[in-house]
Amino acid sequence: MRAVTVLAACTALVAGCGGDTAPDRGYPELGKALRSLSRDLDGACGRAEAPVSCAEDLDRLTAPTERAFAQVLEHKLLDVGTVAAMNELDRARELRVAAAGEARSRKDPHHVPLARAVAAEKRAYQGLLDELERLRTAPPPGDGTDPL
């Protein structure tokens, strides 16, 4: 009788750990935030747009980036790659802000250093997006995919 009870308990445990009862690993809110940020980044800085107005487009990406990052923190997904991508974005933003100040003082909306800084910030945003998407879609640790 005891063996039947143990067998029933093990069966219940195994059944309870199936994929149908597991939490949604897709992080739908994070996915939504990343898609929104990606659309905003794609829409920023048209080809004929002056770097000054492009910089304004990039400034509007701060709020969606913060929402996405808050989702990463909420789900405890933060890792070294994400921190490095955020640091790279912060550095690129600082350079762009400095170049924008120089462009304003020169009254030059097509200031070449500003154009370069804007391009670097867009690349940093794309790098952050790639990193956050990697985190969102990575299998959870210990899900059976680790080598023995």
mmCIF file of all heavy atoms in Angstrom, residues 2 8 46 53-54 63-65 78 84 88-89 107 109 119-121 123 133 136 144:
data_model
loop_
_atom_site.group_PDB
_atom_site.id
_atom_site.type_symbol
_atom_site.label_atom_id
_atom_site.label_comp_id
_atom_site.label_asym_id
_atom_site.label_seq_id
_atom_site.Cartn_x
_atom_site.Cartn_y
_atom_site.Cartn_z
ATOM 1 N N ARG A 2 1.923 1.225 0.784
ATOM 2 C CA ARG A 2 2.831 2.373 0.873
ATOM 3 C C ARG A 2 3.474 2.654 -0.492
ATOM 4 O O ARG A 2 3.622 3.800 -0.896
ATOM 5 C CB ARG A 2 3.885 2.098 1.924
ATOM 6 C CG ARG A 2 4.791 3.250 2.162
ATOM 7 C CD ARG A 2 5.749 2.899 3.293
ATOM 8 N NE ARG A 2 6.778 3.890 3.317
ATOM 9 C CZ ARG A 2 7.152 4.511 4.408
ATOM 10 N NH1 ARG A 2 6.594 4.225 5.549
ATOM 11 N NH2 ARG A 2 8.105 5.403 4.365
ATOM 12 N N ALA A 8 1.774 7.174 -6.492
ATOM 13 C CA ALA A 8 0.741 8.179 -6.787
ATOM 14 C C ALA A 8 1.286 9.583 -6.542
ATOM 15 O O ALA A 8 1.023 10.512 -7.311
ATOM 16 C CB ALA A 8 -0.501 7.927 -5.939
ATOM 17 N N GLY A 46 14.641 59.561 -40.035
ATOM 18 C CA GLY A 46 14.497 59.291 -41.461
ATOM 19 C C GLY A 46 15.759 59.649 -42.217
ATOM 20 O O GLY A 46 16.619 60.378 -41.725
ATOM 21 N N SER A 53 17.041 66.980 -35.488
ATOM 22 C CA SER A 53 15.695 66.444 -35.275
ATOM 23 C C SER A 53 15.756 64.946 -34.990
ATOM 24 O O SER A 53 14.904 64.408 -34.276
ATOM 25 C CB SER A 53 14.782 66.754 -36.452
ATOM 26 O OG SER A 53 15.318 66.247 -37.644
ATOM 27 N N CYS A 54 16.744 64.277 -35.519
ATOM 28 C CA CYS A 54 16.931 62.866 -35.217
ATOM 29 C C CYS A 54 17.254 62.692 -33.726
ATOM 30 O O CYS A 54 16.773 61.754 -33.090
ATOM 31 C CB CYS A 54 18.050 62.300 -36.076
ATOM 32 S SG CYS A 54 18.204 60.519 -35.954
ATOM 33 N N ALA A 63 11.526 56.789 -22.541
ATOM 34 C CA ALA A 63 10.424 56.190 -21.769
ATOM 35 C C ALA A 63 10.179 54.728 -22.157
ATOM 36 O O ALA A 63 10.095 53.870 -21.265
ATOM 37 C CB ALA A 63 9.151 57.016 -21.925
ATOM 38 N N PRO A 64 10.070 54.385 -23.461
ATOM 39 C CA PRO A 64 9.875 52.961 -23.766
ATOM 40 C C PRO A 64 11.064 52.090 -23.351
ATOM 41 O O PRO A 64 10.881 50.936 -22.975
ATOM 42 C CB PRO A 64 9.667 52.920 -25.281
ATOM 43 C CG PRO A 64 9.728 54.296 -25.789
ATOM 44 C CD PRO A 64 9.965 55.214 -24.638
ATOM 45 N N THR A 65 12.259 52.657 -23.383
ATOM 46 C CA THR A 65 13.432 51.892 -22.943
ATOM 47 C C THR A 65 13.339 51.618 -21.449
ATOM 48 O O THR A 65 13.623 50.506 -20.994
ATOM 49 C CB THR A 65 14.725 52.670 -23.264
ATOM 50 O OG1 THR A 65 14.776 52.909 -24.667
ATOM 51 C CG2 THR A 65 15.957 51.904 -22.838
ATOM 52 N N LEU A 78 18.022 40.275 -15.542
ATOM 53 C CA LEU A 78 19.230 41.078 -15.718
ATOM 54 C C LEU A 78 20.477 40.206 -15.693
ATOM 55 O O LEU A 78 20.623 39.325 -14.859
ATOM 56 C CB LEU A 78 19.300 42.129 -14.607
ATOM 57 C CG LEU A 78 20.318 43.221 -14.765
ATOM 58 C CD1 LEU A 78 19.983 44.075 -15.976
ATOM 59 C CD2 LEU A 78 20.344 44.098 -13.528
ATOM 60 N N ALA A 84 25.985 45.685 -19.780
ATOM 61 C CA ALA A 84 26.940 46.241 -20.744
ATOM 62 C C ALA A 84 26.215 46.996 -21.859
ATOM 63 O O ALA A 84 26.656 48.079 -22.260
ATOM 64 C CB ALA A 84 27.802 45.124 -21.338
ATOM 65 N N GLU A 88 26.582 50.954 -22.655
ATOM 66 C CA GLU A 88 26.932 51.428 -23.993
ATOM 67 C C GLU A 88 25.920 52.474 -24.466
ATOM 68 O O GLU A 88 26.289 53.493 -25.044
ATOM 69 C CB GLU A 88 26.998 50.262 -24.977
ATOM 70 C CG GLU A 88 27.358 50.667 -26.379
ATOM 71 C CD GLU A 88 28.727 51.325 -26.489
ATOM 72 O OE1 GLU A 88 29.633 50.990 -25.699
ATOM 73 O OE2 GLU A 88 28.894 52.187 -27.378
ATOM 74 N N LEU A 89 24.644 52.226 -24.210
ATOM 75 C CA LEU A 89 23.615 53.195 -24.579
ATOM 76 C C LEU A 89 23.801 54.499 -23.809
ATOM 77 O O LEU A 89 23.704 55.586 -24.388
ATOM 78 C CB LEU A 89 22.218 52.621 -24.338
ATOM 79 C CG LEU A 89 21.059 53.567 -24.622
ATOM 80 C CD1 LEU A 89 21.065 54.022 -26.083
ATOM 81 C CD2 LEU A 89 19.738 52.902 -24.267
ATOM 82 N N LYS A 107 25.042 76.590 -34.412
ATOM 83 C CA LYS A 107 23.839 76.786 -35.243
ATOM 84 C C LYS A 107 23.941 75.992 -36.546
ATOM 85 O O LYS A 107 23.613 76.479 -37.618
ATOM 86 C CB LYS A 107 23.599 78.258 -35.501
ATOM 87 C CG LYS A 107 23.321 79.022 -34.233
ATOM 88 C CD LYS A 107 23.050 80.467 -34.500
ATOM 89 C CE LYS A 107 22.677 81.058 -33.216
ATOM 90 N NZ LYS A 107 23.045 82.092 -32.617
ATOM 91 N N PRO A 109 22.565 72.525 -37.990
ATOM 92 C CA PRO A 109 21.702 71.352 -37.825
ATOM 93 C C PRO A 109 22.268 70.086 -38.476
ATOM 94 O O PRO A 109 21.798 68.989 -38.203
ATOM 95 C CB PRO A 109 20.393 71.770 -38.489
ATOM 96 C CG PRO A 109 20.770 72.839 -39.448
ATOM 97 C CD PRO A 109 21.970 73.529 -38.869
ATOM 98 N N ALA A 119 24.122 58.251 -35.009
ATOM 99 C CA ALA A 119 24.251 56.899 -35.582
ATOM 100 C C ALA A 119 24.761 55.913 -34.516
ATOM 101 O O ALA A 119 24.277 54.784 -34.434
ATOM 102 C CB ALA A 119 25.181 56.925 -36.784
ATOM 103 N N ALA A 120 25.705 56.352 -33.700
ATOM 104 C CA ALA A 120 26.236 55.490 -32.643
ATOM 105 C C ALA A 120 25.155 55.182 -31.606
ATOM 106 O O ALA A 120 25.056 54.049 -31.114
ATOM 107 C CB ALA A 120 27.434 56.152 -31.974
ATOM 108 N N GLU A 121 24.327 56.165 -31.298
ATOM 109 C CA GLU A 121 23.264 55.924 -30.319
ATOM 110 C C GLU A 121 22.218 54.969 -30.890
ATOM 111 O O GLU A 121 21.720 54.096 -30.184
ATOM 112 C CB GLU A 121 22.616 57.234 -29.886
ATOM 113 C CG GLU A 121 21.634 57.037 -28.748
ATOM 114 C CD GLU A 121 21.083 58.326 -28.185
ATOM 115 O OE1 GLU A 121 21.508 59.428 -28.611
ATOM 116 O OE2 GLU A 121 20.209 58.240 -27.308
ATOM 117 N N ARG A 123 22.807 52.590 -33.004
ATOM 118 C CA ARG A 123 23.420 51.262 -32.916
ATOM 119 C C ARG A 123 23.362 50.726 -31.482
ATOM 120 O O ARG A 123 23.118 49.541 -31.256
ATOM 121 C CB ARG A 123 24.864 51.290 -33.413
ATOM 122 C CG ARG A 123 25.000 51.355 -34.919
ATOM 123 C CD ARG A 123 26.438 51.140 -35.380
ATOM 124 N NE ARG A 123 27.398 52.054 -34.775
ATOM 125 C CZ ARG A 123 27.681 53.275 -35.236
ATOM 126 N NH1 ARG A 123 27.091 53.725 -36.322
ATOM 127 N NH2 ARG A 123 28.566 54.038 -34.620
ATOM 128 N N GLU A 133 15.978 41.046 -26.173
ATOM 129 C CA GLU A 133 15.251 39.969 -26.848
ATOM 130 C C GLU A 133 15.909 38.626 -26.558
ATOM 131 O O GLU A 133 15.228 37.617 -26.366
ATOM 132 C CB GLU A 133 15.184 40.235 -28.349
ATOM 133 C CG GLU A 133 14.325 39.252 -29.101
ATOM 134 C CD GLU A 133 12.862 39.227 -28.691
ATOM 135 O OE1 GLU A 133 12.338 40.240 -28.188
ATOM 136 O OE2 GLU A 133 12.216 38.178 -28.865
ATOM 137 N N ARG A 136 14.761 37.634 -23.181
ATOM 138 C CA ARG A 136 13.340 37.265 -23.176
ATOM 139 C C ARG A 136 13.122 35.856 -23.722
ATOM 140 O O ARG A 136 12.272 35.125 -23.240
ATOM 141 C CB ARG A 136 12.530 38.271 -24.001
ATOM 142 C CG ARG A 136 11.023 38.058 -23.920
ATOM 143 C CD ARG A 136 10.284 39.009 -24.822
ATOM 144 N NE ARG A 136 10.370 38.659 -26.221
ATOM 145 C CZ ARG A 136 9.641 37.700 -26.803
ATOM 146 N NH1 ARG A 136 8.788 36.999 -26.116
ATOM 147 N NH2 ARG A 136 9.798 37.447 -28.085
ATOM 148 N N GLY A 144 16.441 21.621 -18.134
ATOM 149 C CA GLY A 144 16.716 20.335 -18.761
ATOM 150 C C GLY A 144 17.592 20.451 -19.989
ATOM 151 O O GLY A 144 17.948 19.448 -20.590
#
